[in-house]
Amino acid sequence: MTLNPLANPKGVKLLCELCQKPAFVQCTRCRVTYYCGVEHQQADWVGIHEKICQLLIPLRTTQVSFLSSEEQRRKQEADMLERRINMIELTRTTGQKLLFEGKHEQAVPAAMQTLRFSIDVHGLDSIELVPSYLILAEASIGLHKLQQAEEYLAQAQWTVLKTPDSSHAIKSKLYRNWGLLYAAEGNFDEALRNLADDIFHASEQYGTDDISTAGGYFHMANVFFRQNQMDVADSLYARVTDIWHKHLLRLVSARTHRAETPAGVGAVAVELKKEKPESLDEAQEAEAKQVLHSIHDIREQSSSQNPVTTALVCHALGMLHFLLEDITKARDLTDKCQSLMSSSGDEESELNGQIADFSNALDTLPSKKDRSILGSAY
């Protein structure tokens, strides 16, 4: 990314995209974004600007023309509003993805952008700003800036209190972040209390067995794990694994079907669907990776490893990698699942059948060349 030191035109105040201090460097790709120096420019590029560089141009250069007709002005205003709403979704999802990947510092620019666009669209006091505060708070926790995290959470909580009809989804995320902050401070009782509130509100919004609720169970399990209460932690990890396994199994099933084949020929074929199948967004993919790999590592390191519970999380990971189109990894994990189930002696179980069906589906996938011709449905 090239740099362009600025000599600010007289009367024009240019501010840094990240810190709002006087800017002296311009992004020469979009030419509508400015920085106080190279360090902030590079941080913004890695965090979010690479994704939105060209998308910012119409938002920061287009002006509603007073010479246009009223119909044209309304169309132009509606187009600009839609662009800003799309930017909120893109920057928010990117920020959440980076948090799940443990890239807390990189998540900050994305969170700042989603906050900026949310203010533009909804105003300073809107409940729609809360997700941005929560991303900033969680990033601060990850960077061990706990006082800063508490300030963001206090702002989010005040906004929720001022909005009596705020959703259970927003409250769930707020309590989850308080739980993470208290856990980082070592206050495990308060962490568990807030995570319990998170699970309650998530269950009200999504149901008890939804992947959006599973995050609360996962973080609660981590708190019990840190306190060496392994029985409770293990049961919660099992709950999380089961929720993700069922969700991924449903997504995989939407992409595969049992084909009618001639007698004596048993096969499971993968069908190219005409409609776009349900999928995970970037943040959900990153969450699934974080959660399932963490639980897998815990299962692997356990002195009393249960092959069936380990096989369950392996199968979930195999399906996840199938959805991410990493077929080699999906095959390796499926082979491991079958070995674990064989050692368990529980080869007549429903799980063993699901693993066998998935293995057969992988075996009948078209070649890499054919997949490239058919498109991304595989």
Side-chain angles (χ1 to χ4, degrees):
M1 190 176 182
T2 55
L3 308 176
N4 180 25
L6 299 174
N8 292 5
K10 187 175 181 180
V12 178
K13 187 177 182 180
L14 301 176
L15 301 177
C16 177
E17 192 77 359
L18 293 190
C19 67
Q20 297 298 294
K21 292 180 180 179
F24 304 99
V25 175
Q26 179 189 54
C27 172
T28 57
R29 301 194 183 199
C30 65
R31 297 187 180 278
V32 294
T33 311
Y34 307 92
Y35 303 95
C36 62
V38 176
E39 184 178 348
H40 277 189
Q41 184 185 31
Q42 291 175 340
D44 192 38
W45 179 260
V46 173
I48 190 63
H49 192 70
E50 182 179 10
K51 275 192 172 185
I52 66 173
C53 182
Q54 297 303 300
L55 299 175
L56 289 171
I57 296 173
L59 289 169
R60 295 182 175 176
T61 58
T62 304
Q63 295 183 350
V64 177
S65 174
F66 290 103
L67 299 178
S68 303
S69 67
E70 182 177 354
E71 181 180 353
Q72 288 174 321
R73 288 198 301 272
R74 287 180 178 176
K75 183 178 180 181
Q76 195 173 20
E77 289 171 351
D79 176 67
M80 294 297 286
L81 177 61
E82 183 178 359
R83 287 175 183 270
R84 289 189 174 94
I85 291 172
N86 290 338
M87 288 291 276
I88 292 172
E89 180 63 27
L90 172 60
T91 53
R92 183 179 296 171
T93 300
T94 300
Q96 291 170 335
K97 171 181 178 287
L98 291 167
L99 288 178
F100 286 124
E101 291 176 345
K103 300 174 181 176
H104 302 100
E105 191 165 1
Q106 292 180 24
V108 173
M112 292 177 65
Q113 286 290 0
T114 190
L115 179 61
R116 187 173 293 127
F117 285 111
S118 296
I119 291 172
D120 287 346
V121 172
H122 303 290
L124 278 168
D125 297 323
S126 172
I127 192 70
E128 298 295 333
L129 273 59
V130 170
S132 305
Y133 293 136
L134 297 181
I135 295 173
L136 287 165
E138 189 170 344
S140 298
I141 293 169
L143 295 169
H144 306 290
K145 298 178 179 179
L146 302 187
Q147 181 61 43
Q148 187 177 72
E150 187 171 354
E151 291 171 6
Y152 284 128
L153 288 177
Q155 181 64 51
Q157 187 163 16
W158 175 241
T159 305
V160 169
L161 289 172
K162 290 191 300 180
T163 313
D165 59 345
S166 56
S167 69
H168 286 291
I170 287 289
K171 292 177 181 176
S172 164
K173 292 176 182 177
L174 175 61
Y175 284 118
R176 184 171 303 179
N177 274 267
W178 277 116
L180 292 174
L181 176 60
Y182 284 121
E185 293 175 340
N187 188 343
F188 297 133
D189 289 341
E190 280 300 305
L192 291 172
R193 185 180 68 81
N194 279 274
L195 290 170
D197 287 338
D198 159 27
I199 293 168
F200 168 77
H201 287 289
S203 298
E204 288 291 302
Q205 183 76 40
Y206 307 106
T208 56
D209 296 319
D210 190 89
I211 58 172
S212 297
T213 308
Y217 297 128
F218 176 70
H219 290 299
M220 184 175 280
N222 289 341
V223 172
F224 282 114
F225 185 88
R226 289 178 63 184
Q227 296 180 93
N228 204 33
Q229 298 185 40
M230 301 309 298
D231 288 345
V232 181
D234 184 70
S235 65
L236 288 168
Y237 287 135
R239 181 77 177 270
V240 174
T241 303
D242 188 58
I243 291 171
W244 273 105
H245 182 267
K246 288 177 179 176
H247 186 81
L248 294 168
L249 185 63
R250 181 167 58 81
L251 297 185
V252 168
S253 296
R255 289 161 173 76
T256 60
H257 77 293
R258 288 191 176 278
E260 293 185 7
T261 54
V265 180
V268 177
V270 178
E271 181 183 49
L272 180 62
K273 301 288 184 181
K274 292 181 180 179
E275 70 279 1
K276 185 177 181 180
E278 182 185 354
S279 60
L280 301 171
D281 65 29
E282 281 190 343
Q284 290 170 331
E285 289 175 1
E287 181 180 11
K289 286 180 184 177
Q290 179 210 37
V291 168
L292 294 174
H293 278 294
S294 295
I295 295 174
H296 176 264
D297 290 345
I298 289 169
R299 297 297 189 212
E300 287 275 273
Q301 295 167 14
S302 174
S303 57
S304 56
Q305 182 182 150
N306 183 321
V308 175
T309 57
T310 305
L312 185 69
V313 70
C314 278
H315 186 216
L317 280 169
M319 292 188 292
L320 175 62
H321 284 285
F322 167 80
L323 296 173
L324 298 177
E325 300 184 9
D326 186 347
I327 305 303
T328 300
K329 187 67 173 177
R331 291 183 193 278
D332 290 344
L333 285 160
T334 303
D335 290 343
K336 183 176 179 180
C337 289
Q338 292 179 314
S339 176
L340 286 164
M341 293 303 294
S342 178
S343 69
S344 74
D346 193 14
E347 298 182 19
E348 301 300 320
S349 67
E350 181 181 12
L351 174 60
N352 199 56
Q354 292 167 347
I355 294 170
D357 286 345
F358 183 57
S359 177
N360 291 337
L362 292 176
D363 288 341
T364 56
L365 279 172
S367 67
K368 185 175 181 180
K369 179 180 179 181
D370 290 337
R371 291 202 305 273
S372 66
I373 295 172
L374 291 171
S376 61
Y378 294 97

